[in-house]
Amino acid sequence: MGERTQAAAGCLTVALGAGAGLALWTVDVRGRFDRFEQSPDWSVLYAELPLAILGGVAVSLVLWALLRRVRARR
């Protein structure tokens, strides 16, 4: 694989990981944001959202690295 192809695959992997993290974060976000008889919980936006996106990126990059290592051994 060429360098440009590897760079494009890495960027695509990061974008897909961020999208997956965002998709998982949106599951029941309304329930986490509107707590029972309390004011809105803003930590859902400034703490959970960035962590979900970074977690998705990290997981996707680890999977990409593992796949590259497995392919290189063949």
Side-chain angles (χ1 to χ4, degrees):
M1 213 185 319
E3 286 184 33
R4 288 184 181 179
T5 308
Q6 287 179 357
C11 290
L12 183 61
T13 301
V14 168
L16 290 174
L22 182 62
L24 286 173
W25 176 79
T26 59
V27 174
D28 196 33
V29 73
R30 179 69 110 195
R32 289 191 318 264
F33 186 70
D34 294 331
R35 300 291 182 190
F36 180 71
E37 293 185 6
Q38 293 179 2
S39 62
D41 185 11
W42 294 104
S43 70
V44 170
L45 294 177
Y46 68 79
E48 288 183 18
L49 178 60
L51 289 175
I53 292 174
L54 288 174
V57 168
V59 168
S60 67
L61 287 176
V62 166
L63 288 175
W64 182 60
L66 287 174
L67 285 174
R68 287 199 57 214
R69 181 169 289 200
V70 167
R71 284 185 139 186
R73 288 186 180 177
R74 288 184 179 180

